[in-house]
Amino acid sequence: MPQLTAAGRGLEKSVAGRPPVRDDHDVHGPAPARSARAEVGSPLTTRLAAIHVGPERTRVSLALEDRLAIIELVSLHGHLVDDGSLDRLDELFTDDVVYDLTDFGQEPLSGVAAVREAAWALGAANPVAHHVTNVVVTAGTDGRVQVRSKGLGIKADGSCGSVTYDDTVVRTADGWRISCRRVSARRTPLGGMTKPS
């Protein structure tokens, strides 16, 4: 089993018989360096700062077992919803979860029961398949974990839509649960950004 030891700015993972590998951020590698052409405070650097952990932010390690459990938690959503196992949503969310759908012109849902009822009310308009990908896990100093992922929804007629999930995940007595989820539609290429003049 890997042993994690503090080393310099990051962590070193050492496995018996193998040289240590530096891990300055997480499984996704070190935070990207700023481009010389990107002005500090520009829309591009502001958007990147919301996704990547920059060198000015305190880095918090997260045990591999926790990281894997959180990734599985986010992945479980599609299986439960697509199977119609809405009675098991408490395996995903805290009782007081906030499910933010304001990007779709709806009020945020509050509580597991409200999320369940909304799915039942949507009925046949629900996607037949929810696919989650591009999962990025960032631990915070307050014990909460921020998870950003991409979602693809396939409708019964074959049409497809894409969303971004921004989740806050917390540890509970029953394991990791999503306490807040913001769902944002992907409607325009490049997030609506255009080349600066």
Side-chain angles (χ1 to χ4, degrees), residues 33-52 56 193:
R34 285 195 174 109
S35 166
R37 290 177 293 190
E39 300 281 334
V40 174
S42 72
L44 175 61
T45 56
T46 301
R47 290 180 69 87
L48 286 175
I51 299 170
H52 298 288
E56 65 284 337
M193 301 297 288

Side-chain angles (χ1 to χ4, degrees), residues 17-35:
R18 296 185 190 162
V21 177
R22 286 189 59 79
D23 185 1
D24 286 329
H25 175 50
D26 60 16
V27 295
H28 305 288
R34 285 195 174 109
S35 166

Side-chain angles (χ1 to χ4, degrees), residues 57-117:
R57 182 172 170 183
T58 303
R59 295 166 194 243
V60 178
S61 63
L62 186 65
L64 179 60
E65 293 82 3
D66 289 323
R67 187 175 295 278
L68 292 174
I70 290 167
I71 291 170
E72 285 196 5
L73 174 73
V74 172
S75 300
L76 182 61
H77 172 258
H79 293 286
L80 295 184
V81 175
D82 294 346
D83 291 344
S85 300
L86 302 180
D87 58 323
R88 294 178 55 196
L89 290 183
D90 59 345
E91 296 177 28
L92 296 173
F93 303 115
T94 59
D95 291 338
D96 60 350
V97 64
V98 174
Y99 203 96
D100 186 349
L101 297 167
T102 54
D103 196 43
F104 294 86
Q106 300 177 34
E107 292 294 318
L109 303 171
S110 183
V112 174
V115 175
R116 183 180 297 116
E117 286 306 312

